[in-house]
Amino acid sequence: MATLLIRIQDFCQELIEKFSAVYNLNIEVIDNELRYVAAVGRYSDRINELMPPNGGRLTIKVLSSKEQIYVTDPQTHPICSECYNLINCKDQVEICYPIICKDKSLGVISIASAGQQQAEMIKENYDRLILSVSLMADLIQEHVENYSLYQEFSMQTDMNILCLNAMPDGAMILKNDNRIIQMNLRCEKILGYSIAQIPYLEKINQIKISIQNLQENNRAECYIKIRGKEMILTGQLSLLSGENTSISLFAFGDISVPQDPQYPLFQQETYKFESFIGRNPAFLSALEESKSHSFSGNCILISGEAGVGKARLARTIHHESSRKNNKFIRISGNNDFAEILCRPFGPAASADASEIHCHIYEDAVKGNTIFFDEVGALSHYNQEKLLSLLRNANYMNCKIICSTTCDLKKLVNKGDFIKDLYFALELNTIHLPPLRSRTEDVILLA
């Protein structure tokens, strides 16, 4: 089994290389099994090898005593005198410093001279060198502790998952903001998504969770919506609070689908730009254009094939604008248009009938967003009414959004669409590409 120093071998090697770059010395890190963990200089080719059986007396002594040793003359030092390799030893000065963690010797940092010049440098700078070596030992010890904590945390996480999966019911662990941080396999099967997919669903605003405590034997109901799929989970809620956060374990067995949702979480679909899914450059460009036009009074024309989401984008522009608290009026077809904008009010022959009509006309559109779905299908009469509305849009403080699946320019050339209306609409055109040209988005949507 690998020692702790071997497990953080890369860190040890990087650390002594930085040290050696400053002092240009031979330096090794040796673990408590007398294996070279990291080395710079003379023993760099021995990494992962054991020390020779006839050497390493200083290292063994430091490991057992947990105290540093400073040797200025190996030939006369009592510990070195027991070494079988003393006659061949080229070291003139050597520093051995212990690496200790929780009162256990993990290894030794060794610095030795390769010649007279290095030996003199070590002697002259001993105080500074021993301080640097002690700092290295502290850094290695801290890294070992962090590694051990990480291993313990990973093991605890694995144990938690094993315990969750052993539960016969569905179970999930949530943070205090109702975000899922862990769940068992049964819960994943019920929700239809794995725990690895949850962060992405949160990022694209496609998962919502609301928990209501029933105040009866810790019973609770969890209302959850994932990509339009709604369900009510009933079970036990257990809270575990800490200093800075709290988590809860929700284990459930009863599952139902809300028939008449009474919680605002499911009552109304929210329209946000963040809810649009895609990475296609043309699609993202269309969203950015839509954002820039949300707070302007300009008329917008949304073009694209049937089913690309023109109506949804129009509603999103409304809900993301300053008019979000006002009405969004959708007009599709000539009859609806005539009913809202052209219905006669009062006696047709009345002298002030047109005045009455104008007041109600203004009340219908003032401050609101009017969405004309499929503007290319409007009759010539209603095209004129729309052009009149566009010219007075600023006066009546209304936002006009139109959509089309047709090529309006071709309709103009054929005489089926008013040229002035076309010029008014084309100024701010947003084109939504079809999914077949957004191949990179298919997987995201799937």
Side-chain angles (χ1 to χ4, degrees):
M1 184 176 179
T3 63
L4 284 171
L5 293 188
I6 286 291
R7 294 176 188 178
I8 62 165
Q9 187 173 33
D10 291 342
F11 174 80
C12 294
Q13 183 65 32
E14 183 180 357
L15 185 65
I16 66 171
E17 284 177 357
K18 291 178 179 177
F19 180 87
S20 179
V22 177
Y23 293 103
N24 192 27
L25 293 170
N26 295 308
I27 179 169
E28 298 102 34
V29 175
I30 303 156
D31 66 12
N32 50 16
E33 292 183 354
L34 300 183
R35 187 182 304 276
Y36 290 101
V37 175
V40 174
R42 58 182 180 172
Y43 294 147
S44 59
D45 58 342
R46 295 188 184 180
I47 294 175
N48 293 324
E49 294 182 5
L50 291 172
M51 297 182 72
N54 58 349
R57 297 291 176 178
L58 285 178
T59 301
I60 294 170
K61 183 65 176 179
V62 171
L63 285 171
S64 61
S65 67
K66 302 175 186 176
E67 295 180 355
Q68 69 186 58
I69 295 177
Y70 176 42
V71 177
T72 56
D73 186 5
Q75 300 299 322
T76 61
H77 197 279
I79 298 176
C80 294
S81 64
E82 302 173 3
C83 181
Y84 297 110
N85 195 43
L86 180 61
I87 192 171
N88 298 317
C89 182
K90 298 180 180 179
D91 297 337
Q92 299 181 32
V93 176
E94 187 170 359
I95 297 174
C96 285
Y97 198 94
I99 303 169
I100 301 172
C101 182
K102 297 180 180 180
D103 202 37
K104 179 181 178 181
S105 293
L106 301 182
V108 171
I109 299 175
S110 174
I111 296 178
S113 63
Q116 184 63 35
Q117 186 177 358
Q118 282 190 348
E120 294 299 325
M121 193 275 282
I122 293 173
K123 292 178 182 179
E124 292 174 4
N125 297 279
Y126 172 76
D127 292 337
R128 187 168 58 179
L129 283 172
I130 203 67
L131 177 61
S132 298
V133 173
S134 67
L135 288 174
M136 279 199 298
D138 290 342
L139 287 172
I140 293 174
Q141 172 207 338
E142 183 179 350
H143 204 76
V144 165
E145 290 178 344
N146 290 337
Y147 176 82
S148 300
L149 286 173
Y150 172 76
Q151 291 295 102
E152 290 177 12
F153 176 77
S154 298
M155 185 176 296
Q156 186 63 47
T157 301
D158 292 341
M159 287 296 297
N160 290 341
I161 295 173
L162 284 174
C163 292
L164 284 176
N165 288 330
M167 298 176 66
D169 294 334
M172 62 178 76
I173 299 176
L174 305 103
K175 293 187 72 173
N176 51 0
D177 55 357
N178 285 344
R179 289 176 55 243
I180 300 175
I181 57 176
Q182 194 53 262
M183 57 184 175
N184 64 1
L185 293 175
R186 176 159 176 76
C187 183
E188 289 184 346
K189 186 175 181 179
I190 291 169
L191 298 186
Y193 294 91
S194 69
I195 186 62
Q197 294 172 298
I198 296 300
Y200 177 72
L201 292 172
E202 292 172 344
K203 183 178 180 181
I204 62 175
N205 197 29
Q206 291 296 306
I207 179 170
K208 295 177 183 178
I209 298 173
S210 176
I211 293 181
Q212 181 189 19
N213 199 323
L214 301 180
Q215 302 296 329
E216 180 184 342
N217 299 325
N218 293 330
R219 296 287 290 176
E221 287 183 339
C222 175
Y223 296 80
I224 186 165
K225 181 177 182 180
I226 300 182
R227 287 191 181 275
K229 178 183 177 182
E230 302 176 18
M231 63 184 74
I232 301 175
L233 312 175
T234 306
Q236 298 286 126
L237 183 68
S238 303
L239 299 176
L240 178 62
S241 300
E243 292 184 3
N244 301 318
T245 185
S246 63
I247 61 174
S248 56
L249 170 64
F250 181 64
F252 59 91
D254 298 332
I255 307 164
S256 60
V257 177
Q259 301 298 323
D260 183 20
Q262 54 182 322
Y263 291 87
L265 175 63
F266 308 117
Q267 284 182 356
Q268 183 178 359
E269 184 176 357
T270 56
Y271 294 93
K272 299 283 186 182
F273 284 115
E274 291 78 8
S275 65
F276 283 84
I277 301 171
R279 290 193 299 232
N280 176 264
F283 181 71
L284 294 177
S285 177
L287 292 184
E288 288 302 316
E289 285 186 65
S290 302
K291 290 178 185 178
S292 66
H293 289 306
S294 292
F295 285 89
S296 73
N298 299 329
C299 169
I300 301 172
L301 175 64
I302 304 174
S303 68
E305 298 178 10
V308 295
K310 298 186 294 295
R312 182 185 173 197
L313 181 59
R315 286 187 179 273
T316 301
I317 292 172
H318 169 73
H319 284 281
E320 292 276 44
S321 73
S322 58
R323 304 172 192 273
K324 60 185 177 183
N325 295 323
N326 295 352
K327 295 179 182 178
F328 178 87
I329 302 171
R330 179 174 179 172
I331 298 173
S332 54
N334 291 301
N335 293 331
D336 291 340
F337 194 179
E339 184 179 346
I340 293 176
L341 301 181
C342 308
R343 183 193 308 155
F345 296 93
S350 172
D352 56 353
S354 61
E355 184 179 347
I356 294 173
H357 173 81
C358 289
H359 282 306
I360 298 181
Y361 176 86
E362 286 187 29
D363 290 341
V365 299
K366 196 168 186 178
N368 299 324
T369 299
I370 316 296
F371 173 52
F372 293 90
D373 195 4
E374 195 46 67
V375 71
L378 291 177
S379 65
H380 196 276
Y381 173 78
N382 281 332
Q383 290 176 32
E384 290 179 346
K385 289 293 182 183
L386 175 56
L387 181 58
S388 175
L389 181 60
L390 285 174
R391 288 169 176 168
N392 293 281
N394 290 334
Y395 168 74
M396 286 180 286
N397 187 27
C398 65
K399 177 84 168 181
I400 307 296
I401 304 177
C402 300
S403 73
T404 182
T405 57
C406 308
D407 186 339
L408 296 183
K409 191 172 183 180
K410 288 183 178 179
L411 293 181
V412 171
N413 294 335
K414 292 197 301 184
D416 293 334
F417 202 79
I418 298 175
K419 184 181 294 186
D420 288 347
L421 179 57
Y422 168 72
F423 289 144
L425 293 175
E426 71 159 350
L427 291 175
N428 299 299
T429 301
I430 299 169
H431 180 72
L432 283 177
L435 187 58
R436 66 174 176 276
S437 65
R438 296 166 49 195
T439 53
E440 62 269 61
D441 295 343
V442 173
I443 298 299
L444 294 176
L445 291 165

